[in-house]
Amino acid sequence: MILARTLWLLLAFACLVFGPVVFFYGLSWGLAAVIVCLLLMLCWHLLHLRQLMGWLEGPLDNPLPRGRGVWEIAFAGLHRRVRVRLDQQQSLSETLKRFMRAFEALPDGVIAYDRHRHIDWINERAETHFALSAATDRGQALTNLIRHPDFVSYLDSGSYVEPLIYRGGRVDGMTLMLQIIPYGNDQNLLVSRDISQIERTETMRRDFIANVSHELKTPLTVVAGFSEMLSDDYEAYGEAEIKHYLALICEQNARMKRLIEDLLTLSALESGGLAQNEERVEMAPTLNSILAEVRALSAGRHQITLTVETPSVLGGCANELRSAFSNLAGNAVRYTPPGGRIDLIWREYQGFGEFVVADSGIGIAAQHLPRLTERFYRVDRSRSRETGGTGLGLAIVKHVLTRHHATLEIESEPGKGSRFTARFPGRCFRD
Ligand code: ADP
């Protein structure tokens, strides 16, 4: 196309300039005219070339200069190529952005690093896992930033089939599961997953099994010991002795029964969501029956009162609420020395329904308060056992209250007494 145009131009020039000048003024004027024309053409081309150079040196999105003649064709071709390249670039950068967004959305941390272990890229989750900053740490050597010996030797091992469980990193209390995935040309991905919660749950499960085994071991040993003793040589013991041993066996059996009942209650509470059983639970009769129960437990050793300020009705599971209230009131009896005072109060206060159990008992030191509702947590293990405790009472209370959208507040002072308040929000009330 350009060649054809140039040939046409030369032909036109010969016909319009060179021919007439030679014809009228002779050959030498003709040649002079050719030279002038060639010089003019050269200038014209140099002018376009300068425009092209200016465009090439400018930014990529600079508009192409407008040309004439063959330059118009050349510029149009260039323009087309630039547009195609820009489109390709834009679609590539959009794909890249989509990948970046996908990496950012991953629940795992991802660090991409090269053969020299220099960080290419970090997602937000990895920044949190390793306390790094993409802005300042990109390009840094991974082992300069994460120097833990376990991590460095895992990296050096070159064998990444098994993940590394990484504790004691820069973030306190966080346990990570790390896996290195080699890809491409000596590139690697370091993938990190926060398994702190899984590990905590696993520790809790192990502790729970150890606690249950420990709780069952003592009564089982007593029962097994006395049963064997009696069955081996029954005649060797007098009637009074036998009665005493049988009473001890019954006592330990009762303890195991209580423990198993509490464990079953707790397990049922934990496997359910919110309380499904939307019964009408009338506070006045419920608390009156609990008063009778704790008076029987106290056997006249304490002064126990019940005040129902408002005869409210709660919506929920009657059995669960009864068990929670009875646990709180029972604890007051068990941890209040004889002669002490126990007040059970139901009231409506600032839109909430409150069941308060206040005692003048032994009280609890402040450092124990946050842990009281943990399973098997006791301030004084032997006192709890002596009074028939399983260490699960407050854990059951906490679960029941949570299932009823309620909270438990504990105030206590050693030697002065305790005040447990179960607080129910307005939505728990029924007409
Ligand atoms: P336990 O069966 O041991 O009583 P709980 O879960 O009911 O288990 O209570 C946990 C611990 O909280 C008890 O071991 C006891 O140390 C303490 N505690 C609970 N209620 C009272 C209270 N009213 N006064 C003093 N200490 C209490």
Side-chain angles (χ1 to χ4, degrees), residues 331-332 334-335 359 362-364 372 377-380 384 389-395 418 420:
N331 277 355
R334 291 169 44 231
Y335 297 105
D359 65 53
I362 58 171
I364 308 156
L372 284 188
Y377 188 85
R378 288 136 156 160
V379 177
D380 179 346
S384 158
T390 59
L392 297 172
L394 290 183
S418 311
F420 288 73

Side-chain angles (χ1 to χ4, degrees), residues 44-295:
W44 182 75
H45 281 298
L46 282 175
L47 194 75
H48 281 90
L49 204 60
R50 215 188 80 187
Q51 281 180 326
L52 180 63
M53 293 307 289
W55 176 78
L56 283 175
E57 281 163 13
L60 206 61
D61 55 352
N62 237 6
L64 263 164
R66 294 184 68 81
R68 295 195 149 272
V70 287
W71 284 99
E72 189 182 357
I73 301 166
F75 284 159
L78 268 174
H79 185 69
R80 240 191 346 270
R81 277 171 179 265
V82 167
R83 254 214 353 245
V84 169
R85 180 60 55 87
L86 279 175
D87 286 351
Q88 279 173 346
Q89 225 173 32
Q90 195 172 350
S91 106
L92 268 177
S93 90
E94 262 160 29
T95 311
L96 196 64
K97 272 189 205 149
R98 272 205 306 277
F99 269 111
M100 294 292 213
R101 279 200 293 271
F103 269 120
E104 288 299 351
L106 279 178
D108 295 337
V110 182
I111 298 180
Y113 63 91
D114 63 17
R115 74 180 71 188
H116 305 296
R117 295 180 177 171
H118 287 164
I119 297 175
D120 283 335
W121 190 76
I122 312 176
N123 74 352
E124 258 178 54
R125 203 52 71 109
E127 287 182 289
T128 319
H129 287 171
F130 297 100
L132 297 177
S133 153
T136 53
D137 295 330
R138 198 170 287 167
Q140 303 268 356
L142 198 55
T143 39
N144 282 351
L145 299 170
I146 311 172
R147 292 160 181 257
H148 196 286
D150 289 354
F151 176 71
V152 176
S153 56
Y154 179 61
L155 212 61
D156 289 343
S157 72
S159 157
Y160 309 128
V161 182
E162 289 297 318
L164 168 74
I165 303 300
Y166 177 65
R167 296 185 186 89
R170 286 176 164 199
V171 183
D172 271 353
M174 190 183 272
T175 306
L176 297 174
M177 186 167 77
L178 306 184
Q179 179 96 52
I180 291 176
I181 304 167
Y183 73 99
N185 193 10
D186 263 348
Q187 300 288 302
N188 292 285
L189 286 181
L190 168 63
V191 181
S192 56
R193 175 168 295 179
D194 182 359
I195 55 164
S196 316
Q197 186 54 44
I198 298 172
E199 207 175 50
R200 270 196 291 276
T201 312
E202 183 56 23
T203 311
M204 271 169 62
R205 193 185 65 83
R206 271 200 305 269
D207 288 352
F208 181 69
I209 291 171
N211 275 321
V212 172
S213 317
H214 183 76
E215 292 293 330
L216 285 172
K217 207 171 141 199
T218 320
L220 266 177
T221 312
V222 175
V223 170
F226 286 129
S227 321
E228 271 171 35
M229 212 172 77
L230 290 177
S231 67
D232 282 354
D233 202 359
Y234 188 79
E235 275 76 32
Y237 303 98
E239 196 181 335
E241 265 181 313
I242 294 173
K243 265 193 177 162
H244 173 66
Y245 294 144
L246 286 177
L248 286 175
I249 290 175
C250 286
E251 190 186 299
Q252 295 306 321
N253 270 340
R255 184 169 152 193
M256 287 191 284
K257 188 167 169 264
R258 269 199 311 277
L259 181 67
I260 286 163
E261 276 169 2
D262 275 1
L263 282 172
L264 288 175
T265 308
L266 204 55
S267 142
L269 288 171
E270 280 179 343
S271 54
L274 289 172
Q276 292 300 314
N277 211 340
E278 273 288 311
E279 295 166 279
R280 278 172 57 84
V281 189
E282 294 187 34
M283 282 301 108
T286 306
L287 294 178
N288 267 305
S289 86
I290 282 168
L291 175 69
E293 192 184 288
V294 287
R295 278 196 171 141

